[in-house]
Amino acid sequence: MLKVPQQQYIKFLYENEDYSISEIAKAMGINWRTAKKYATRDDWNEPVRRRRTRYPVLGPYLDIIDTWLTEEQALPRKQRYTAKRIFDRLCDEYGFEGGRRTVEEYVAKRRKELKLERAESYERLEHPGGEAQVDFGTAYVGQLGKLVERKILMMSFPFSNAAFAFPVRKENTECFLEAMKRIFERMGGVPRKIWFDNLSAAVVSIDRDGTRTFTDQFLRFAAHYRFNPEFCNANSGHEKGHVENKVGYGRGTGSSHHPCATRMLNLRPT
């Protein structure tokens, strides 16, 4: 399933850029039916999932058990609840009159589900060819006998270990997009997918559910150059550790072009 920003990007291409379903599917590298699903979608509300009534006696207590199982994930393994302990608490604190075996079966099943949910939540950190990472850094350059602070937009390619940089005066949207444009021109192509931090030049706000609101300029820029933007989870800079290292390297060298490898970047021509 595509992430919400990707879904909205498909809708944007269809509604605002007059892309056909086939063009969206090709640009995003997705199935035609998936492209049509989100391009023509009108209801963006989160679907309400009904809990299956497989536990008629345990039903009123499922939310309580789920809360305990979720809370215990932060505890060391030895301190977590046994199914018997959960059963005893239900009886003592909530007057549960069902059987212990029913509780044990549900706890075992629910723990497996939670384990899968945690596994699915981890981001893939390896990056194939054609993917880039972008971040801002700060450097000091000599100008008229003084050290002047400049912001540096760094774009790196984990697959080939290459990187490009462009200095700007500020980290605002206009400077950010101009630097991206200059780097594209310097490379002679556009990455298929670019990973960003939640920088204010592109992201206006992040809701509690992780949904991002983007600046109009950034959405139009991404649509114009036809790259797929991806954003790291909040407080998860390690997800773009490659560009973080390049920012540090660029700070020390002041280099505007650092071709560290000879592999093809797999870029789409501009």
Side-chain angles (χ1 to χ4, degrees), residues 6-233:
Q6 294 174 303
Q7 299 173 18
Q8 294 176 335
Y9 184 51
I10 291 173
K11 186 69 173 180
F12 172 81
L13 292 178
Y14 184 73
E15 296 288 348
N16 299 87
E17 299 296 326
D18 296 327
Y19 275 48
S20 68
I21 303 296
S22 297
E23 289 173 335
I24 293 174
K26 183 178 180 180
M28 299 286 291
I30 58 178
N31 183 273
W32 186 90
R33 292 183 179 179
T34 301
K36 183 176 187 301
K37 173 183 176 181
Y38 295 115
T40 59
R41 183 176 179 178
D42 293 321
D43 184 7
W44 291 87
N45 292 320
E46 186 72 17
V48 178
R49 299 180 179 179
R50 296 182 179 180
R51 190 189 297 271
R52 297 180 180 179
T53 57
R54 295 177 55 186
Y55 304 91
V57 177
L58 198 59
Y61 307 93
L62 294 182
D63 288 338
I64 298 172
I65 297 175
D66 286 356
T67 299
W68 290 342
L69 294 178
T70 301
E71 290 176 346
E72 74 169 8
Q73 293 178 24
L75 299 175
R77 185 171 182 177
K78 292 183 178 181
Q79 298 179 19
R80 296 175 185 175
Y81 299 123
T82 62
K84 180 181 182 303
R85 173 58 179 155
I86 292 177
F87 170 75
D88 291 340
R89 285 195 64 181
L90 288 177
C91 295
D92 296 340
E93 299 176 22
Y94 296 94
F96 178 65
E97 298 180 352
R100 174 176 164 179
R101 185 172 180 178
T102 301
V103 175
E104 291 176 340
E105 289 179 352
Y106 178 75
V107 169
K109 173 179 174 295
R110 186 60 181 143
R111 277 189 169 137
K112 290 181 180 179
E113 293 174 349
L114 290 173
K115 185 176 181 180
L116 288 175
E117 291 173 6
R118 290 197 304 271
E120 291 174 354
S121 69
Y122 289 121
E123 291 289 341
R124 175 179 54 84
L125 298 184
E126 66 271 15
H127 297 272
E131 289 194 9
Q133 300 178 3
V134 168
D135 196 15
F136 274 110
T138 302
Y140 292 88
V141 298
Q143 189 175 40
L144 300 177
K146 297 181 180 180
L147 286 178
V148 181
E149 181 181 290
R150 287 289 182 266
K151 300 297 181 180
I152 306 294
L153 185 76
M154 182 72 69
M155 180 178 293
S156 72
F157 294 82
F159 184 79
S160 63
N161 199 31
F164 293 79
F166 191 86
V168 296
R169 292 185 177 274
K170 299 180 180 179
E171 294 186 19
N172 57 28
T173 301
E174 290 73 18
C175 291
F176 166 61
L177 298 182
E178 178 64 22
M180 292 270 288
K181 175 185 175 183
R182 295 291 188 92
I183 291 175
F184 291 162
E185 292 172 351
R186 181 70 178 272
M187 295 188 304
V190 178
R192 301 176 187 276
K193 180 184 292 186
I194 305 178
W195 288 78
F196 300 90
D197 202 345
N198 296 291
L199 65 175
S200 60
V203 180
V204 177
S205 62
I206 306 177
D207 296 335
R208 291 183 178 180
D209 62 356
T211 303
R212 293 170 176 81
T213 300
F214 302 99
T215 64
D216 292 338
Q217 299 97 315
F218 176 75
L219 289 176
R220 292 182 180 278
F221 184 86
H224 175 76
Y225 284 100
R226 302 172 72 177
F227 64 83
N228 181 20
E230 291 280 357
F231 287 82
C232 299
N233 293 315

